[in-house]
Amino acid sequence: MEHDSSRDFPPREGSSLPGEWPSALGQAFSQILHHLTGQESRRGKARDVALQDLSALIEATDCDKLFEGSGTSLHGMPEMLGQVAKALEKYAAPPKEQEGRSDGHSAVAEKAAAVGLLFLKLLTKVEAAKSSLVCPAWKTGLTHLAGPIYIFAVTHSWKQPWTSPRSQNVAGEVLTLLLQVTECGSVAGFLHGENEDQKGRFTVIMGLLKPDLNKESWKNNPATKHVFSWTLQQVTRPWLNQHLERIIPPSLLISDDYQTENKILGVDCLHHIVLNVPAADLLQYNRAQVLYHALFNHLYTPEHHLIQAVLLCLLDLFPVLEKALHWKGDAARPTTHCDEVLQLILTHMEPEHRLLLRRTYARNLPAFVKRLGILTVRHLKRLERVILGYLEVYDGPEEEARLKILETLKLLMQYTWPRVSCRLVVLLKALLKLICDVARDPNLTPETIKRALLEEATECLILLDHCSQGQVKGLLAKILQSCEDSKVVNCIRKVQHVSEGTPYGET
């Protein structure tokens, strides 16, 4: 029997919304929407009653009645359900972030669990309507419901300050049922469409997030940035390039914040865009240059996590930027953006004493040498100073910085070998000092790390010998006569054997 909602929700005086609805069901939903969004919504008791009434109303209403009136009526039930879903999503959203305060999160989790149960009931009605011949309007209803329900599910599905295990479970069930109802095998399919004929919902989601992603409002809801970032990461080639105007401004906005956490989140969004948008689209309207300058400015921030994210993004952006460069063979090659970044990195590396930053810079240095190749010769003097300085300093048990510096030195000698022989004495002293320090290290460094350092340093000596036409072998011969350390002697003999033509692996 159909629920007579007009008895439970009579038209309110002074409210134009209920009077506009021709059906009692529409008036009932309009009353609930008024309770959720009006002045009364500030009173918790009124909202709790509205949620209870909504739950009872959904359960008592047949699916054919729930989605009626979507034809020529401007105020059909699908549109009303969409408005209710938006109100519920806003009701369960976490409050504005306040530094030093984390209270109220338990209340948000409780509200999210209650709203999630309502969304499960709504989606169950949609699933039932799909198999009903008398209810063809379910598709229209789902169109209005899918966006707000998705935002709610992503907001509360993962561990956050405002979630609890129960709210996460309920939100996860909502997302699973949403994918089932929309007949999508994954969130990516839900967003960009499962096939060419199916239109995805990414545009709708970005439209719903847009009011909360401008300069004045993006911090009002701490979940918005996470929903945007996670949603963006789900859409890849070849679907992302058509949404550039919707995704680049919010990504730049988030990355430009004063909080390091938000900077990293924004840089990760920009990195995803760089990886999944064709170079031609990034070069259009100077977008790639805009991204580059935004990223370059972050290199002045002494935060190792941020520096790591920025350098990885820049290394993938360089090939895009260099497509716009045209080199004529009769002139000197122009300096590139990679040159500019490497110059700044080396400037920061020389005086840097913080271990985490030293490791971050050293970790990415080999990639820059590979990127520039023989053009690394432009930075050879400064690279030499950095390499010598970093080889002297103990970097902790893992020795990440010194291992990466040795890798950089090997690449540098391979690419710029004609310029290496004049630096023979300086490099040989630094490598031998490193080998002696590692060999005499009593217990600070694990044996596996020691072996790795000795092997890398030995390979550098072999390359140095090749670059100097065998001079290293002659200089090392004198050391063998006086050296008593077996590890040092072993490294020297490997260099001599390989220099004489014996493969390194057979020594």
Side-chain angles (χ1 to χ4, degrees), residues 107-229:
V108 173
E110 292 176 6
K111 291 192 291 186
V115 170
L117 294 176
L118 289 174
F119 281 146
L120 287 173
K121 290 181 180 180
L122 271 173
L123 290 172
T124 302
K125 288 287 184 179
V126 178
E127 185 70 14
K130 288 169 62 178
S131 57
S132 174
L133 298 176
V134 297
C135 187
W138 66 268
K139 289 185 178 180
T140 307
L142 184 58
T143 300
H144 293 278
L145 290 171
I149 292 178
Y150 169 85
I151 293 175
F152 164 83
V154 176
T155 298
H156 300 280
S157 286
W158 290 272
K159 186 177 181 180
Q160 296 286 0
W162 57 83
T163 62
S164 66
R166 181 167 181 266
S167 66
Q168 292 175 48
N169 290 335
V170 173
E173 292 177 13
V174 170
L175 185 59
T176 301
L177 185 55
L178 177 62
L179 296 179
Q180 177 184 328
V181 171
T182 54
E183 299 179 352
C184 295
S186 64
V187 174
F190 173 84
L191 293 170
H192 59 63
E194 289 287 348
N195 50 61
E196 295 181 358
D197 299 328
Q198 184 181 9
K199 186 179 180 182
R201 298 169 179 84
F202 187 77
T203 302
V204 173
I205 303 300
M206 290 296 108
L208 292 172
L209 292 175
K210 185 177 180 179
D212 295 326
L213 280 174
N214 58 57
K215 189 175 182 180
E216 289 74 26
S217 65
W218 76 277
K219 285 196 172 182
N220 292 341
N221 181 351
T224 301
K225 61 188 179 186
H226 296 289
V227 175
F228 169 78
S229 173

Side-chain angles (χ1 to χ4, degrees), residues 66-320:
L66 199 59
F67 301 110
E68 68 180 355
S70 61
T72 58
S73 172
L74 296 177
H75 299 285
M77 280 305 302
E79 289 86 346
M80 172 54 72
L81 288 174
Q83 293 297 321
V84 171
K86 289 179 185 178
L88 290 173
E89 184 269 319
K90 296 295 183 186
Y91 168 72
K96 184 178 180 179
E97 288 179 316
Q98 295 184 2
E99 291 187 13
R101 293 187 59 185
S102 59
D103 53 333
H105 288 158
S106 59
V108 173
E110 292 176 6
K111 291 192 291 186
V115 170
L117 294 176
L118 289 174
F119 281 146
L120 287 173
K121 290 181 180 180
L122 271 173
L123 290 172
T124 302
K125 288 287 184 179
V126 178
E127 185 70 14
K130 288 169 62 178
S131 57
S132 174
L133 298 176
V134 297
C135 187
W138 66 268
K139 289 185 178 180
T140 307
L142 184 58
T143 300
H144 293 278
L145 290 171
I149 292 178
Y150 169 85
I151 293 175
F152 164 83
V154 176
T155 298
H156 300 280
S157 286
W158 290 272
K159 186 177 181 180
Q160 296 286 0
W162 57 83
T163 62
S164 66
R166 181 167 181 266
S167 66
Q168 292 175 48
N169 290 335
V170 173
E173 292 177 13
V174 170
L175 185 59
T176 301
L177 185 55
L178 177 62
L179 296 179
Q180 177 184 328
V181 171
T182 54
E183 299 179 352
C184 295
S186 64
V187 174
F190 173 84
L191 293 170
H192 59 63
E194 289 287 348
N195 50 61
E196 295 181 358
D197 299 328
Q198 184 181 9
K199 186 179 180 182
R201 298 169 179 84
F202 187 77
T203 302
V204 173
I205 303 300
M206 290 296 108
L208 292 172
L209 292 175
K210 185 177 180 179
D212 295 326
L213 280 174
N214 58 57
K215 189 175 182 180
E216 289 74 26
S217 65
W218 76 277
K219 285 196 172 182
N220 292 341
N221 181 351
T224 301
K225 61 188 179 186
H226 296 289
V227 175
F228 169 78
S229 173
W230 191 83
T231 301
L232 174 64
Q233 303 281 340
Q234 308 309 306
V235 182
T236 56
R237 290 176 182 259
W239 298 280
L240 198 60
N241 62 314
Q242 55 189 302
H243 304 288
L244 286 178
E245 300 304 321
R246 299 182 182 92
I247 59 178
I248 289 182
S251 300
L252 290 170
L253 177 65
I254 297 171
S255 72
D256 195 35
D257 191 47
Y258 70 95
Q259 293 179 308
T260 302
E261 174 193 353
N262 292 332
K263 289 181 179 180
I264 295 173
L265 190 67
V267 170
D268 288 341
C269 292
L270 294 175
H271 195 183
H272 182 78
I273 293 170
V274 170
L275 290 174
N276 290 280
V277 174
D281 292 310
L282 288 176
L283 291 172
Q284 193 176 25
Y285 306 122
N286 225 24
R287 292 186 183 112
Q289 286 287 350
V290 172
L291 300 187
Y292 170 74
H293 288 296
L295 293 166
F296 186 82
N297 290 334
H298 287 310
L299 293 175
Y300 293 96
T301 307
E303 295 287 345
H304 67 280
H305 289 305
L306 176 61
I307 296 294
Q308 177 66 26
V310 169
L311 292 179
L312 290 176
C313 185
L314 283 171
L315 284 167
D316 287 318
L317 183 61
F318 290 147
V320 177

